[in-house]
Amino acid sequence: MNRFFVILNPTAGRGRARREWPGQAAALRNAGVSFDVVETREPGEAVGLAQRAAREVDVVVAAGGDGTVHEVANGLLLAGGKAALGVLPLGSGDDFVKMLPPRDPVERLVQGTVRPFDAGRIVAGATRYFANGMDIGFGAHGARNIRSVPGFITGFGAYLGALMLTLLRYPKLHVRVQLDDAPPFEQSTAMTAVMNGRCFGGSFHVCPDARADDGLLDLLLVEAIGRASILALVPKIMRGTHAGDRRLRLARARRVVIESQEPLLVEADGEIAFEEARRLEIIVRPGALRVLA
């Protein structure tokens, strides 16, 4: 692995990436890594950059947060998945790297090995991939509301602020869900998450037993509950101790179909993927994403 292309989102982590990138770049050079770097200027730009770079380099590095990882992963998958994904976590939540063995990020890029990770594909008219997870309902509206949290609030505080904003108004959705070839069922839900990883929102272990290389998607389906019940669930989900709670259901599947009469806001890897979807087909792609871990 000697050809690296770094895609830097300088606004990731509410400015954290801009502040920390010079030190990370110096550490890479000191470790003998040769790389080119380009900064993104607008949302979505990293998809095309990664897709083009994948034809020329061994590793495309997402230097930013989960949104940057999301765009780079989409670009690599669109390019056929030959180049590996490297990650310099410089975001607010950095949920994707929680799936990787704990080690220094630069050391991981220099000494890591390439592992096949599953990816999720969402078809809702257009196609979008996710590396970590997606959801509808409370989490999706929280992902949108985080934009309204003042910029000086960073890290977990920003997610907590988004949680409080979302509690003021969040949807209770009536959906029809089918898991693989099982008979579909209907459910009123405050949130339904389909995960490749264990966490989202920085600290919420929504599917604590999920694995990124088992060829399965993990689901959390939360009933349409009120604010008090959501607040009671939050500490459990943060600890990953919510299994068995009667207000929710955990499941696994290779294919998930979610249908709704009302338009759905869809979040994927912390980014808004769709705003008015009425039918989502979510399929696991086993081992499709090569990750430097």
Side-chain angles (χ1 to χ4, degrees):
M1 293 290 175
N2 55 14
R3 296 179 299 170
F4 283 64
F5 184 79
V6 179
I7 299 176
L8 169 66
N9 176 6
T11 65
R14 303 189 153 222
R16 175 190 171 197
R18 181 181 289 108
R19 294 190 300 272
E20 296 189 12
W21 165 246
Q24 297 289 322
L28 285 170
R29 294 188 187 99
N30 290 339
V33 177
S34 176
F35 62 89
D36 294 314
V37 60
V38 64
E39 293 189 11
T40 58
R41 297 164 294 180
E42 58 187 9
E45 185 180 8
V47 177
L49 291 170
Q51 187 175 5
R52 291 188 292 273
R55 305 186 188 107
E56 306 293 337
V57 301
D58 299 310
V59 180
V60 180
V61 179
D66 289 308
T68 312
V69 172
H70 173 76
E71 292 189 16
V72 171
N74 270 264
L76 294 178
L77 290 165
L78 288 170
K82 293 182 180 179
L85 168 67
V87 182
L88 280 175
L90 301 173
S92 297
D94 294 323
D95 290 311
F96 180 82
V97 295
K98 295 180 176 70
M99 295 189 278
L100 307 181
R103 63 196 304 181
D104 177 79
V106 171
E107 178 184 312
R108 183 186 295 120
L109 293 179
V110 175
Q111 300 179 10
T113 57
V114 175
R115 291 173 47 188
F117 272 40
D118 303 336
R121 184 180 71 185
I122 311 169
V123 180
T127 297
R128 195 82 167 255
Y129 296 96
F130 61 85
N132 184 56
M134 58 78 62
D135 83 280
I136 59 171
F138 197 93
H141 284 256
R144 185 165 67 182
N145 286 337
I146 199 168
R147 303 172 185 174
S148 300
V149 176
F152 64 85
I153 302 175
T154 60
F156 177 67
Y159 289 107
L160 187 61
L163 172 67
M164 295 298 105
L165 287 173
T166 308
L167 280 171
L168 297 175
R169 185 178 181 183
Y170 62 94
K172 295 180 181 179
L173 306 167
H174 188 78
V175 295
R176 185 174 186 265
V177 181
Q178 183 176 20
L179 307 181
D180 293 328
D181 296 323
F185 60 90
E186 296 194 9
Q187 177 169 344
S188 293
T189 179
M191 183 181 77
T192 294
V194 183
M195 301 292 295
N196 190 37
R198 298 182 294 272
C199 305
F200 72 31
S203 300
F204 298 92
H205 291 70
V206 292
C207 292
D209 295 325
R211 287 179 47 191
D213 59 358
D214 61 357
L216 294 169
L217 298 168
D218 283 58
L219 288 84
L220 173 67
L221 302 98
V222 181
E223 292 181 0
I225 54 180
R227 294 180 180 87
S229 293
I230 286 179
L231 283 172
L233 271 177
V234 164
K236 290 185 177 182
I237 295 176
M238 290 180 70
R239 294 191 300 267
T241 59
H242 51 288
D245 191 292
R246 60 179 178 80
R247 295 164 291 189
L248 56 83
R249 172 182 175 182
L250 291 164
R252 288 193 174 105
R254 293 178 174 83
R255 176 178 176 268
V256 182
V257 177
I258 301 174
E259 297 175 302
S260 172
Q261 295 295 320
E262 300 297 321
L264 300 173
L265 184 71
V266 182
E267 169 267 332
D269 297 337
E271 299 294 301
I272 301 303
F274 303 98
E275 296 198 45
E276 295 188 348
R278 284 182 166 82
R279 185 182 190 275
L280 305 170
E281 183 178 17
I282 307 144
I283 304 167
V284 68
R285 291 193 57 193
L289 189 63
R290 301 175 73 238
V291 179
L292 196 55

